[in-house]
Amino acid sequence: MVYVEWLRVRNCLRILAIVFGVLFLGAAITRVAVNAQMDQTQAWVAREIVKPGARVSHERLSDGATRTTVDVPSDGDHIVIVDRGWHGKAITISGPGITNDRNANVQIGSVRVHAVRSTPQGGSIEVETDEAVSARVLLLFSSFVALIVGTFLAGPLAKENGNHLEIAWTKPIGRERLALGLFAVDAVGMLAGMAMTVVFLVISTALFELPRIVVDSQTLAVLALSVFMPFAWYALLTAASA
Amino acid sequence: MNITVSHLSKKYGSLAAVDDLSVEIPAGTIFGLLGPNGAGKTTAFKCMLGLARGSSGGVTFGGKALAPPLFESIAYVPERDVLYDWMRVSELVEMNRRAFARFKADRAFELLATFGIDTRKRARALSKGMKTAVAAAIAFARHADLLVLDEPTSGLDPVNQRHVLNLMVNEAARGATVLFSSHQIGPVERAAERIAVLDRGRLVLEGGIDDLKSGRKIVEAIFPNESYSLDGIAGDPRVGRIDRSGRIVRVMALDAPSEIVQKLEAAGGTGVRIIDLNLEDIFLYAVAPASATADVVEGS
């Protein structure tokens, strides 16, 4: 009875998948573009280590991580690399050659780069590859996308009433049941849109570094709000178009 | 499935689109609803099927009031294009397969092939006639007990028109009731066993086509010039209608056509002959004078 609405949902999600596909392609291209830059950083560290006079020390920390400290007296650079295995790396580079004209803190997925404004004595850069990504951020993003999906799907009864009344109202099903069926299908569509958004965000950030998603005490409330908002918007539009 | 329409009315303000319509449609018959444009045929169908709320009166199908489960056995083809433009024809078939337990998808595809419809096409890519054909093919594949077809031959080419009419006859032969409307005489005359004529919302004529024709004849005469008088004929109660087109006069005789012949000959008519009535004559008689096509129309 609600086959047409399933098709509408399918078409809407297909468009969403195409948009995400294009964005993912963009992320993949960006990943390839910055790949050389990321390699340069590693190569730079490797070069520092082999510089004449460089002192390298390794230390096993109590949590199992390995801390590598590199001091390069000739340049005055000091590098600390804490390798936590699956839990990523924390790299701190400081020295007179680092000139940051302002403080900066950028996070993309689990990768956070924190640059401290340089003084005449030099500056420092901290790179953390295992920064926590709150599930709340993902949910709010997905809620926004579900809101857009809901906007497209809203008013199924008005769509039927406008041009297809003769088909919709001559089915062997009560009108109330048909209406509820249409709403249920749209609800599934919006939830699917949310799920697609979460998956897209995770795999897109995983292109750069596997994200460490953190669920905290407020996540459940945000989840409820994230679901409620697009549904409320959908209900509002449907009521307005009825 | 027989249909009983009792005193059905639908009013829009002071305008009565359907005015006190009462008609009994026996099960297994092909019933044609005729009427000029705007006569109220589509509104009557909509009221019958619950798509518009009637102002008064009621309809029963096989003795039962209309309820959602009844639509399992009622197939409706509306006059206007209501197909989902963005759907493929095959998806429209699938939609019906899922909605109606008795729907035969194989039959639908077979009929669509007969109509020459490419089922991979989207509805928006079809012409008006093709859309009508799709709607009709799907309705005929429903295996319904009642088919309500509003202008089912509209926009179709003569071959497909004939095909639809044959399918209607086949459906009736299987026991289904076929109720269809048209403002064209030809399709109704070819397929219908009984007709009703609506004019400005009112039922003006109803009955079996043979019954309506019986006893009535057309008397046709040709006059030598256009200055002739029919004073003695126009007032005759046996005359239903007079159509004058130049020198040609056609008189519908409700009774005693031979006496009308004599009167026309006395008035100067030549080549006077009695011919059988066709449905167009019945229709024009029912809706005269508003829908007449002759130059001059008179009649009771």
Side-chain angles (χ1 to χ4, degrees), chain B residues 23-64:
Chain B
V23 65
E24 178 80 31
I25 301 168
T29 57
I30 304 180
F31 194 98
L33 190 59
L34 270 169
N37 292 325
K41 305 183 293 291
T42 297
T43 307
F45 283 168
K46 283 187 171 179
C47 291
M48 288 166 69
L49 296 175
L51 297 169
R53 198 186 297 272
S55 307
S56 60
V59 184
T60 58
F61 298 85
K64 296 177 190 167

Side-chain angles (χ1 to χ4, degrees), chain B residues 93 96-97 100-111 137-138 140-143:
Chain B
V93 172
N96 280 273
R97 190 190 68 76
F100 302 101
R102 289 156 66 176
F103 183 77
K104 301 273 184 288
D106 292 347
R107 176 72 175 143
F109 283 118
E110 185 187 312
L111 290 172
I138 286 173
F140 287 123
R142 285 274 308 278
H143 209 73

Side-chain angles (χ1 to χ4, degrees), chain B residues 274-295:
Chain B
I274 299 172
I275 53 179
D276 287 335
L277 213 62
N278 60 30
L279 192 57
E280 185 177 359
D281 296 314
I282 296 172
F283 176 74
L284 289 174
Y285 167 63
V287 301
S291 303
T293 52
D295 295 336

Side-chain angles (χ1 to χ4, degrees), chain B residues 201-231:
Chain B
R202 291 193 70 84
L203 181 69
V204 292
L205 191 71
E206 195 250 321
I209 289 184
D210 293 339
D211 296 338
L212 292 170
K213 285 180 179 175
S214 68
R216 297 173 179 183
K217 296 286 180 186
I218 293 290
V219 182
E220 192 176 80
I222 302 170
F223 287 83
N225 53 55
E226 293 187 22
S227 57
Y228 53 87
S229 169
L230 298 176
D231 290 346

